[in-house]
Amino acid sequence: MKRITHWIDGKPFSGDGERRGKVFDPATGVQSGEVGFASVAEVDEAVTAAKAAFPAWRATSLAKRTTILFALRELIAKHSSDLADLIVSEHGKVKSDAAGEVARGLEVVEYACGIAHLMKGEFSENVSTGVNVHSVRQPLGVVAGITPFNFPAMVPMWMFPLAIATGNTFVLKPSEKDPSASILLAELTAEAGVPQGVLNVVQGDRVAVDRILTHPDVAAVSFVGSTSIARHIYETAAREGKRVQALGGAKNHMVVLPNADLAAAAEAAVSAGFGSAGERCMAASVLVAVGGCGDELVSRIHERVNRLTVGPGTDARSEMGPLVTSEHRDKVVSYLGIGEAEGAKIAIDGRDHDISGEPGGYWLGPCLIDNVTEDMKVYIDEIFGPVLSLVRVDSLEDAIGLIHRNGYGNGAAIFTNDGGAAQLFETEVDAGMVGINVAIPVPVAYYSFGGWNSSLFGDLHVYGPDGVKFYTKGKAVTSRWQNIGQHHSSLNFPTNAPTDRATAQGK
Ligand code: NAD
């Protein structure tokens, strides 16, 4: 049985092993490994290592850090297939999708390679006679990241490359469901030359998370996961005086206007709704058909789903893999019954889909629930599986209103051939990331990723320019190196009035 360890101070760390979790292959339902759950003392060990590594790492030149980041970029690219294999074996998504996840994470490492430019401050000469002002950004110290199961490589890479590039040291607590990718990433950082203690990984559950949230030496916490836990993280870490960004769940709407290319829209809805078995925070989970285009969308989706191959992620023919655990699969399936009882129609029932995999896997084929209304539980809850709800509305304004009343605000997309409608949608829609004829509008790494409302607690989004800001604090320096002894002492703030200026100039 594979034993998955922590990674502390530059090496694997087994810990006391008293508390452990099981790791499964979702395509077979067979246990593949066992992961140690960190105790409070083990989290403390990781934070101590990170704290000890901070002074030297912070003092490491930007040139040296950049060299290391370029080496890390090369190593992750070289091992992207190995990372993808680990993701497939513990998460279940298909290999091509897992490779895409690694590529999107790698983009953040590439962005972090430009850290020398990103850390540049500003300078103003002669703000007062002989006085200059400049600003710098400095690291926070030990920062932590807590990540979800659905992107076991990409979401950690949303965080740690920029956190360490900016001079911090990092403690990562990945999901206990698919913990192996984080250990390979840690090994690669060590091989790239990241000094020991700069990146640490503690595996585990709530015990580890709660210790991170209250540890006095942890300066900031980045979290990505479900909304209820995000709220807990935000409230607890903020109360403890930490900087915090906590990204939560989502209910992303994809609006289709009747003037859209309906074939392309249906294709996009299948890809965005059922890719990664719907276990993406940017998955399209509500399809909003405007002005009577619903029936055509349903028939086109039906036609595509009939040809969709559901099977193990290791099989190159599979387009969609299993769900992550049997409990999660059962919960997702329960929404079909809930939807029916609420009066919606199960237009496509994924329980009947042909599966080309082991019977013990956590399978569910693509599902479409039609005639969903705003008051239904299937509309309100984040289902986080291959279940697309279809809501029919009369107008674009109705669609925007629907999205506005929904508690989440991660992504929203519109499919249309009308530029004016797209512009109105972009301006009015209540979401942090918007797609126009793009169903999953995840920003590239040189923008930042984040939602609104219950999809993000905190101010700053992850990665990109917001990531640099989150992991650094600003400092403004006012300096005088000329005529130091010649200014007149005054107890007043300078007013910049003409007389003051004349006095300052010795007139
Ligand atoms: P989760 O909230 O269950 O777990 C996330 C992390 O929190 C894990 O590391 C887990 O170990 C830890 N955790 C779980 N319960 C906890 C508790 N009671 N106290 C402290 N820590 C706890 O989320 P998940 O099921 O792993 O991931 C799926 C969720 O993540 C979905 O809601 C999805 O929308 C969301 N997500 C959001 C984004 C985003 O960018 N907004 C991205 C990916 C996933």
PDB file of all heavy atoms in Angstrom, residues 57 64-76 109 164 185-195:
ATOM      1  N   TRP A  57      15.903  33.121   2.734  1.00  0.00           N
ATOM      2  CA  TRP A  57      15.188  33.096   1.445  1.00  0.00           C
ATOM      3  C   TRP A  57      14.788  34.518   1.035  1.00  0.00           C
ATOM      4  O   TRP A  57      14.911  34.914  -0.102  1.00  0.00           O
ATOM      5  CB  TRP A  57      13.961  32.189   1.536  1.00  0.00           C
ATOM      6  CG  TRP A  57      13.170  32.130   0.259  1.00  0.00           C
ATOM      7  CD1 TRP A  57      11.881  32.518   0.081  1.00  0.00           C
ATOM      8  CD2 TRP A  57      13.616  31.655  -1.024  1.00  0.00           C
ATOM      9  NE1 TRP A  57      11.489  32.317  -1.216  1.00  0.00           N
ATOM     10  CE2 TRP A  57      12.540  31.790  -1.927  1.00  0.00           C
ATOM     11  CE3 TRP A  57      14.823  31.133  -1.503  1.00  0.00           C
ATOM     12  CZ2 TRP A  57      12.624  31.423  -3.274  1.00  0.00           C
ATOM     13  CZ3 TRP A  57      14.909  30.770  -2.844  1.00  0.00           C
ATOM     14  CH2 TRP A  57      13.817  30.921  -3.708  1.00  0.00           C
ATOM     15  N   LYS A  64      18.741  35.306  -8.279  1.00  0.00           N
ATOM     16  CA  LYS A  64      18.871  33.896  -7.895  1.00  0.00           C
ATOM     17  C   LYS A  64      17.491  33.230  -7.847  1.00  0.00           C
ATOM     18  O   LYS A  64      17.295  32.107  -8.336  1.00  0.00           O
ATOM     19  CB  LYS A  64      19.570  33.835  -6.521  1.00  0.00           C
ATOM     20  CG  LYS A  64      19.690  32.465  -5.925  1.00  0.00           C
ATOM     21  CD  LYS A  64      20.836  31.687  -6.543  1.00  0.00           C
ATOM     22  CE  LYS A  64      20.935  30.307  -5.921  1.00  0.00           C
ATOM     23  NZ  LYS A  64      21.519  29.347  -6.815  1.00  0.00           N
ATOM     24  N   ARG A  65      16.514  33.949  -7.249  1.00  0.00           N
ATOM     25  CA  ARG A  65      15.161  33.376  -7.179  1.00  0.00           C
ATOM     26  C   ARG A  65      14.615  33.126  -8.577  1.00  0.00           C
ATOM     27  O   ARG A  65      13.959  32.114  -8.837  1.00  0.00           O
ATOM     28  CB  ARG A  65      14.221  34.335  -6.429  1.00  0.00           C
ATOM     29  CG  ARG A  65      14.312  34.216  -4.921  1.00  0.00           C
ATOM     30  CD  ARG A  65      13.185  35.020  -4.305  1.00  0.00           C
ATOM     31  NE  ARG A  65      13.680  36.083  -3.465  1.00  0.00           N
ATOM     32  CZ  ARG A  65      13.024  37.192  -3.197  1.00  0.00           C
ATOM     33  NH1 ARG A  65      11.846  37.446  -3.737  1.00  0.00           N
ATOM     34  NH2 ARG A  65      13.537  38.097  -2.388  1.00  0.00           N
ATOM     35  N   THR A  66      14.904  34.057  -9.496  1.00  0.00           N
ATOM     36  CA  THR A  66      14.415  33.900 -10.870  1.00  0.00           C
ATOM     37  C   THR A  66      15.030  32.666 -11.515  1.00  0.00           C
ATOM     38  O   THR A  66      14.342  31.886 -12.188  1.00  0.00           O
ATOM     39  CB  THR A  66      14.750  35.158 -11.694  1.00  0.00           C
ATOM     40  OG1 THR A  66      14.155  36.273 -11.043  1.00  0.00           O
ATOM     41  CG2 THR A  66      14.218  35.062 -13.108  1.00  0.00           C
ATOM     42  N   THR A  67      16.324  32.467 -11.295  1.00  0.00           N
ATOM     43  CA  THR A  67      16.999  31.289 -11.865  1.00  0.00           C
ATOM     44  C   THR A  67      16.339  30.012 -11.364  1.00  0.00           C
ATOM     45  O   THR A  67      16.088  29.068 -12.134  1.00  0.00           O
ATOM     46  CB  THR A  67      18.491  31.300 -11.454  1.00  0.00           C
ATOM     47  OG1 THR A  67      19.042  32.546 -11.853  1.00  0.00           O
ATOM     48  CG2 THR A  67      19.268  30.169 -12.095  1.00  0.00           C
ATOM     49  N   ILE A  68      16.031  29.988 -10.066  1.00  0.00           N
ATOM     50  CA  ILE A  68      15.404  28.793  -9.479  1.00  0.00           C
ATOM     51  C   ILE A  68      14.001  28.581 -10.074  1.00  0.00           C
ATOM     52  O   ILE A  68      13.602  27.454 -10.393  1.00  0.00           O
ATOM     53  CB  ILE A  68      15.350  28.930  -7.935  1.00  0.00           C
ATOM     54  CG1 ILE A  68      16.776  28.855  -7.360  1.00  0.00           C
ATOM     55  CG2 ILE A  68      14.455  27.876  -7.316  1.00  0.00           C
ATOM     56  CD1 ILE A  68      16.875  29.155  -5.868  1.00  0.00           C
ATOM     57  N   LEU A  69      13.272  29.676 -10.258  1.00  0.00           N
ATOM     58  CA  LEU A  69      11.915  29.538 -10.808  1.00  0.00           C
ATOM     59  C   LEU A  69      11.939  29.029 -12.248  1.00  0.00           C
ATOM     60  O   LEU A  69      11.096  28.214 -12.649  1.00  0.00           O
ATOM     61  CB  LEU A  69      11.170  30.875 -10.724  1.00  0.00           C
ATOM     62  CG  LEU A  69      10.703  31.202  -9.303  1.00  0.00           C
ATOM     63  CD1 LEU A  69      10.442  32.694  -9.142  1.00  0.00           C
ATOM     64  CD2 LEU A  69       9.456  30.405  -8.945  1.00  0.00           C
ATOM     65  N   PHE A  70      12.928  29.495 -13.015  1.00  0.00           N
ATOM     66  CA  PHE A  70      13.047  28.977 -14.383  1.00  0.00           C
ATOM     67  C   PHE A  70      13.344  27.473 -14.343  1.00  0.00           C
ATOM     68  O   PHE A  70      12.798  26.696 -15.138  1.00  0.00           O
ATOM     69  CB  PHE A  70      14.145  29.719 -15.160  1.00  0.00           C
ATOM     70  CG  PHE A  70      13.623  30.913 -15.914  1.00  0.00           C
ATOM     71  CD1 PHE A  70      13.746  32.196 -15.403  1.00  0.00           C
ATOM     72  CD2 PHE A  70      12.993  30.750 -17.146  1.00  0.00           C
ATOM     73  CE1 PHE A  70      13.243  33.296 -16.095  1.00  0.00           C
ATOM     74  CE2 PHE A  70      12.495  31.848 -17.843  1.00  0.00           C
ATOM     75  CZ  PHE A  70      12.619  33.126 -17.318  1.00  0.00           C
ATOM     76  N   ALA A  71      14.211  27.054 -13.399  1.00  0.00           N
ATOM     77  CA  ALA A  71      14.522  25.619 -13.283  1.00  0.00           C
ATOM     78  C   ALA A  71      13.270  24.843 -12.892  1.00  0.00           C
ATOM     79  O   ALA A  71      13.005  23.746 -13.412  1.00  0.00           O
ATOM     80  CB  ALA A  71      15.626  25.419 -12.238  1.00  0.00           C
ATOM     81  N   LEU A  72      12.471  25.413 -11.989  1.00  0.00           N
ATOM     82  CA  LEU A  72      11.223  24.757 -11.571  1.00  0.00           C
ATOM     83  C   LEU A  72      10.276  24.630 -12.759  1.00  0.00           C
ATOM     84  O   LEU A  72       9.633  23.599 -12.967  1.00  0.00           O
ATOM     85  CB  LEU A  72      10.564  25.557 -10.434  1.00  0.00           C
ATOM     86  CG  LEU A  72       9.243  24.996  -9.913  1.00  0.00           C
ATOM     87  CD1 LEU A  72       9.410  23.587  -9.354  1.00  0.00           C
ATOM     88  CD2 LEU A  72       8.657  25.913  -8.826  1.00  0.00           C
ATOM     89  N   ARG A  73      10.210  25.677 -13.569  1.00  0.00           N
ATOM     90  CA  ARG A  73       9.352  25.661 -14.760  1.00  0.00           C
ATOM     91  C   ARG A  73       9.725  24.478 -15.671  1.00  0.00           C
ATOM     92  O   ARG A  73       8.870  23.731 -16.137  1.00  0.00           O
ATOM     93  CB  ARG A  73       9.512  26.995 -15.503  1.00  0.00           C
ATOM     94  CG  ARG A  73       8.509  27.228 -16.584  1.00  0.00           C
ATOM     95  CD  ARG A  73       9.062  26.870 -17.949  1.00  0.00           C
ATOM     96  NE  ARG A  73       7.944  26.730 -18.877  1.00  0.00           N
ATOM     97  CZ  ARG A  73       7.854  25.773 -19.798  1.00  0.00           C
ATOM     98  NH1 ARG A  73       8.813  24.895 -19.939  1.00  0.00           N
ATOM     99  NH2 ARG A  73       6.813  25.693 -20.576  1.00  0.00           N
ATOM    100  N   GLU A  74      11.026  24.327 -15.871  1.00  0.00           N
ATOM    101  CA  GLU A  74      11.492  23.242 -16.749  1.00  0.00           C
ATOM    102  C   GLU A  74      11.167  21.875 -16.152  1.00  0.00           C
ATOM    103  O   GLU A  74      10.746  20.955 -16.862  1.00  0.00           O
ATOM    104  CB  GLU A  74      13.009  23.355 -16.970  1.00  0.00           C
ATOM    105  CG  GLU A  74      13.404  24.553 -17.817  1.00  0.00           C
ATOM    106  CD  GLU A  74      12.679  24.562 -19.157  1.00  0.00           C
ATOM    107  OE1 GLU A  74      12.865  23.626 -19.936  1.00  0.00           O
ATOM    108  OE2 GLU A  74      11.894  25.503 -19.393  1.00  0.00           O
ATOM    109  N   LEU A  75      11.366  21.738 -14.841  1.00  0.00           N
ATOM    110  CA  LEU A  75      11.137  20.433 -14.203  1.00  0.00           C
ATOM    111  C   LEU A  75       9.662  20.052 -14.219  1.00  0.00           C
ATOM    112  O   LEU A  75       9.304  18.893 -14.459  1.00  0.00           O
ATOM    113  CB  LEU A  75      11.668  20.461 -12.761  1.00  0.00           C
ATOM    114  CG  LEU A  75      13.186  20.324 -12.647  1.00  0.00           C
ATOM    115  CD1 LEU A  75      13.658  20.692 -11.246  1.00  0.00           C
ATOM    116  CD2 LEU A  75      13.590  18.874 -12.976  1.00  0.00           C
ATOM    117  N   ILE A  76       8.794  21.026 -13.960  1.00  0.00           N
ATOM    118  CA  ILE A  76       7.357  20.707 -13.975  1.00  0.00           C
ATOM    119  C   ILE A  76       6.931  20.341 -15.394  1.00  0.00           C
ATOM    120  O   ILE A  76       6.170  19.385 -15.605  1.00  0.00           O
ATOM    121  CB  ILE A  76       6.519  21.873 -13.404  1.00  0.00           C
ATOM    122  CG1 ILE A  76       6.822  22.046 -11.909  1.00  0.00           C
ATOM    123  CG2 ILE A  76       5.023  21.613 -13.601  1.00  0.00           C
ATOM    124  CD1 ILE A  76       6.166  23.259 -11.266  1.00  0.00           C
ATOM    125  N   VAL A 109       3.709  29.506 -12.736  1.00  0.00           N
ATOM    126  CA  VAL A 109       5.161  29.451 -12.504  1.00  0.00           C
ATOM    127  C   VAL A 109       5.855  30.364 -13.519  1.00  0.00           C
ATOM    128  O   VAL A 109       6.785  31.109 -13.169  1.00  0.00           O
ATOM    129  CB  VAL A 109       5.684  27.997 -12.623  1.00  0.00           C
ATOM    130  CG1 VAL A 109       7.179  27.938 -12.333  1.00  0.00           C
ATOM    131  CG2 VAL A 109       4.935  27.069 -11.669  1.00  0.00           C
ATOM    132  N   ILE A 164       6.426  32.073  -2.973  1.00  0.00           N
ATOM    133  CA  ILE A 164       7.863  31.946  -2.728  1.00  0.00           C
ATOM    134  C   ILE A 164       8.659  32.909  -3.619  1.00  0.00           C
ATOM    135  O   ILE A 164       9.689  33.423  -3.200  1.00  0.00           O
ATOM    136  CB  ILE A 164       8.370  30.482  -2.818  1.00  0.00           C
ATOM    137  CG1 ILE A 164       8.244  29.898  -4.208  1.00  0.00           C
ATOM    138  CG2 ILE A 164       7.684  29.595  -1.802  1.00  0.00           C
ATOM    139  CD1 ILE A 164       8.854  28.486  -4.334  1.00  0.00           C
ATOM    140  N   LEU A 185       5.243  17.810  -6.560  1.00  0.00           N
ATOM    141  CA  LEU A 185       5.580  19.234  -6.759  1.00  0.00           C
ATOM    142  C   LEU A 185       6.656  19.680  -5.762  1.00  0.00           C
ATOM    143  O   LEU A 185       7.593  20.411  -6.122  1.00  0.00           O
ATOM    144  CB  LEU A 185       4.325  20.108  -6.609  1.00  0.00           C
ATOM    145  CG  LEU A 185       3.349  20.079  -7.786  1.00  0.00           C
ATOM    146  CD1 LEU A 185       2.039  20.786  -7.420  1.00  0.00           C
ATOM    147  CD2 LEU A 185       3.967  20.731  -9.025  1.00  0.00           C
ATOM    148  N   ALA A 186       6.537  19.216  -4.518  1.00  0.00           N
ATOM    149  CA  ALA A 186       7.537  19.596  -3.506  1.00  0.00           C
ATOM    150  C   ALA A 186       8.915  19.028  -3.873  1.00  0.00           C
ATOM    151  O   ALA A 186       9.938  19.714  -3.761  1.00  0.00           O
ATOM    152  CB  ALA A 186       7.099  19.102  -2.133  1.00  0.00           C
ATOM    153  N   GLU A 187       8.925  17.781  -4.355  1.00  0.00           N
ATOM    154  CA  GLU A 187      10.209  17.173  -4.767  1.00  0.00           C
ATOM    155  C   GLU A 187      10.838  17.994  -5.903  1.00  0.00           C
ATOM    156  O   GLU A 187      12.045  18.227  -5.920  1.00  0.00           O
ATOM    157  CB  GLU A 187       9.980  15.734  -5.256  1.00  0.00           C
ATOM    158  CG  GLU A 187       9.731  14.739  -4.134  1.00  0.00           C
ATOM    159  CD  GLU A 187       9.222  13.380  -4.632  1.00  0.00           C
ATOM    160  OE1 GLU A 187       9.266  13.115  -5.858  1.00  0.00           O
ATOM    161  OE2 GLU A 187       8.747  12.607  -3.796  1.00  0.00           O
ATOM    162  N   LEU A 188       9.990  18.429  -6.829  1.00  0.00           N
ATOM    163  CA  LEU A 188      10.523  19.187  -7.973  1.00  0.00           C
ATOM    164  C   LEU A 188      11.056  20.551  -7.536  1.00  0.00           C
ATOM    165  O   LEU A 188      12.064  21.033  -8.073  1.00  0.00           O
ATOM    166  CB  LEU A 188       9.440  19.347  -9.052  1.00  0.00           C
ATOM    167  CG  LEU A 188       8.941  18.032  -9.679  1.00  0.00           C
ATOM    168  CD1 LEU A 188       7.835  18.287 -10.694  1.00  0.00           C
ATOM    169  CD2 LEU A 188      10.085  17.248 -10.332  1.00  0.00           C
ATOM    170  N   THR A 189      10.397  21.168  -6.544  1.00  0.00           N
ATOM    171  CA  THR A 189      10.919  22.461  -6.070  1.00  0.00           C
ATOM    172  C   THR A 189      12.298  22.262  -5.435  1.00  0.00           C
ATOM    173  O   THR A 189      13.199  23.086  -5.626  1.00  0.00           O
ATOM    174  CB  THR A 189       9.986  23.158  -5.052  1.00  0.00           C
ATOM    175  OG1 THR A 189       9.745  22.270  -3.987  1.00  0.00           O
ATOM    176  CG2 THR A 189       8.692  23.620  -5.661  1.00  0.00           C
ATOM    177  N   ALA A 190      12.455  21.160  -4.706  1.00  0.00           N
ATOM    178  CA  ALA A 190      13.762  20.898  -4.083  1.00  0.00           C
ATOM    179  C   ALA A 190      14.820  20.677  -5.164  1.00  0.00           C
ATOM    180  O   ALA A 190      15.928  21.224  -5.097  1.00  0.00           O
ATOM    181  CB  ALA A 190      13.662  19.686  -3.160  1.00  0.00           C
ATOM    182  N   GLU A 191      14.447  19.899  -6.189  1.00  0.00           N
ATOM    183  CA  GLU A 191      15.390  19.621  -7.290  1.00  0.00           C
ATOM    184  C   GLU A 191      15.747  20.915  -8.031  1.00  0.00           C
ATOM    185  O   GLU A 191      16.871  21.073  -8.520  1.00  0.00           O
ATOM    186  CB  GLU A 191      14.738  18.612  -8.250  1.00  0.00           C
ATOM    187  CG  GLU A 191      15.717  17.923  -9.152  1.00  0.00           C
ATOM    188  CD  GLU A 191      15.013  16.927 -10.079  1.00  0.00           C
ATOM    189  OE1 GLU A 191      13.957  16.364  -9.710  1.00  0.00           O
ATOM    190  OE2 GLU A 191      15.535  16.726 -11.198  1.00  0.00           O
ATOM    191  N   ALA A 192      14.791  21.844  -8.086  1.00  0.00           N
ATOM    192  CA  ALA A 192      15.042  23.111  -8.800  1.00  0.00           C
ATOM    193  C   ALA A 192      15.973  24.032  -8.016  1.00  0.00           C
ATOM    194  O   ALA A 192      16.453  25.033  -8.556  1.00  0.00           O
ATOM    195  CB  ALA A 192      13.712  23.816  -9.059  1.00  0.00           C
ATOM    196  N   GLY A 193      16.185  23.717  -6.733  1.00  0.00           N
ATOM    197  CA  GLY A 193      17.083  24.553  -5.943  1.00  0.00           C
ATOM    198  C   GLY A 193      16.380  25.419  -4.902  1.00  0.00           C
ATOM    199  O   GLY A 193      17.013  26.269  -4.268  1.00  0.00           O
ATOM    200  N   VAL A 194      15.093  25.205  -4.715  1.00  0.00           N
ATOM    201  CA  VAL A 194      14.398  25.934  -3.635  1.00  0.00           C
ATOM    202  C   VAL A 194      14.939  25.379  -2.312  1.00  0.00           C
ATOM    203  O   VAL A 194      14.887  24.174  -2.079  1.00  0.00           O
ATOM    204  CB  VAL A 194      12.860  25.716  -3.729  1.00  0.00           C
ATOM    205  CG1 VAL A 194      12.157  26.311  -2.517  1.00  0.00           C
ATOM    206  CG2 VAL A 194      12.319  26.318  -5.026  1.00  0.00           C
ATOM    207  N   PRO A 195      15.504  26.224  -1.451  1.00  0.00           N
ATOM    208  CA  PRO A 195      16.144  25.713  -0.231  1.00  0.00           C
ATOM    209  C   PRO A 195      15.150  25.017   0.704  1.00  0.00           C
ATOM    210  O   PRO A 195      13.950  25.285   0.666  1.00  0.00           O
ATOM    211  CB  PRO A 195      16.690  26.981   0.439  1.00  0.00           C
ATOM    212  CG  PRO A 195      16.719  28.010  -0.632  1.00  0.00           C
ATOM    213  CD  PRO A 195      15.617  27.683  -1.581  1.00  0.00           C
TER     214      PRO A 195
END
